[in-house]
Amino acid sequence: VIIVIAGPQFGSKLENVKRQGIEVMVCLDVSNSMMAEDVQPNRLEKAKQMLSKLTDSFSNDKMGLIIFAGDAYTQLPITADYISAKMFLSSINPSMIATQGTAIGSAINLAMRSFTPDKSSEKTIIIITDGENHEDDAVKCAQEAMDKNIHVSVVGMGDPKGSPIPIGGGSNNFMKDKDGNVVVTKLNEQMCQEIAAAGKGL
């Protein structure tokens, strides 16, 4: 009788929940290899075009921008000011970071510290890189981000077959190694996939 009076209900129902917005920290690789033209017009410019379109899709969201090569730096703290975000995007180039390399782990660690304390918003890191010459444990860093409920997704820029790196001064002027051989930069697709898997992302 008590159970009947209490009126227990079982099953499921649909409920509309107000969207709180997400926080996205974008980590953009600006190493010299991102100037390769296996993606038109080149890897870096294509990445900037993609990010500009992503910004257009935001509404009640926040984004921040980190650039990295051998080191990682905050280019734009997390903000809802999309106009400023696009302005910063347009000025990005490899000369902004003197130390060459691909410190993806450092970028992830910096991104994790860049979110707001707001626990109601979903937080995600998007890494845009060719994954080449990575020099730290990016997979471990992605796992640490996931432990904090921060998803890590990766956009791999480039062709696994590889491409030379233009350095200006002519259509056939490419970066060479110390032995005079043309440097060919390849998308490290496996590394990108491992990072995304560790961060439960795409």
Side-chain angles (χ1 to χ4, degrees):
V1 172
I2 293 173
I3 292 174
V4 172
I5 293 173
Q9 295 182 346
F10 302 95
S12 61
K13 66 176 181 177
L14 294 174
E15 181 180 357
N16 290 325
V17 178
K18 184 178 180 182
R19 183 167 178 259
Q20 296 297 318
I22 61 173
E23 294 184 16
V24 180
M25 284 303 301
V26 176
C27 300
L28 178 59
D29 187 347
V30 296
S31 57
N32 286 331
S33 60
M34 289 290 286
M35 299 305 291
E37 296 175 346
D38 46 4
V39 178
Q40 293 297 320
N42 60 48
R43 296 174 184 177
L44 181 58
E45 288 302 317
K46 184 66 174 181
K48 289 158 67 172
Q49 291 171 9
M50 291 166 52
L51 286 176
S52 181
K53 289 183 179 180
L54 176 66
T55 303
D56 290 337
S57 70
F58 288 157
S59 55
N60 189 31
D61 309 301
K62 294 180 180 179
M63 76 167 290
L65 180 63
I66 289 169
I67 57 173
F68 70 94
D71 295 313
Y73 300 96
T74 300
Q75 179 75 0
L76 179 69
I78 198 153
T79 180
D81 184 353
Y82 309 138
I83 295 176
S84 293
K86 285 194 171 188
M87 181 182 70
F88 278 104
L89 269 177
S90 64
S91 63
I92 290 174
N93 61 77
S95 66
M96 299 178 76
I97 298 182
T99 306
Q100 281 300 304
T102 310
I104 300 174
S106 296
I108 294 174
N109 284 331
L110 181 56
M112 282 192 286
R113 302 194 302 268
S114 301
F115 291 104
T116 70
D118 184 3
K119 294 182 179 180
S120 66
S121 61
E122 183 178 342
K123 295 173 173 60
T124 188
I125 297 171
I126 299 176
I127 302 166
I128 303 179
T129 181
D130 54 28
E132 193 173 53
N133 297 331
H134 58 281
E135 50 197 51
D136 48 22
D137 196 342
V139 172
K140 181 181 178 182
C141 294
Q143 290 171 338
E144 292 173 354
M146 193 61 243
D147 290 342
K148 298 181 179 179
N149 204 30
I150 301 171
H151 293 267
V152 181
S153 293
V154 183
V155 179
M157 300 297 295
D159 191 329
K161 296 178 183 178
S163 176
I165 305 170
I167 56 174
S171 58
N172 294 317
N173 194 13
F174 300 110
M175 185 175 292
K176 296 179 174 63
D177 62 20
K178 61 182 180 181
D179 297 321
N181 301 312
V182 174
V183 175
V184 176
T185 171
K186 300 178 181 180
L187 167 65
N188 189 338
E189 200 167 23
Q190 180 179 350
M191 171 55 61
C192 293
Q193 291 170 345
E194 289 175 359
I195 295 169
K200 296 293 190 297
L202 303 173

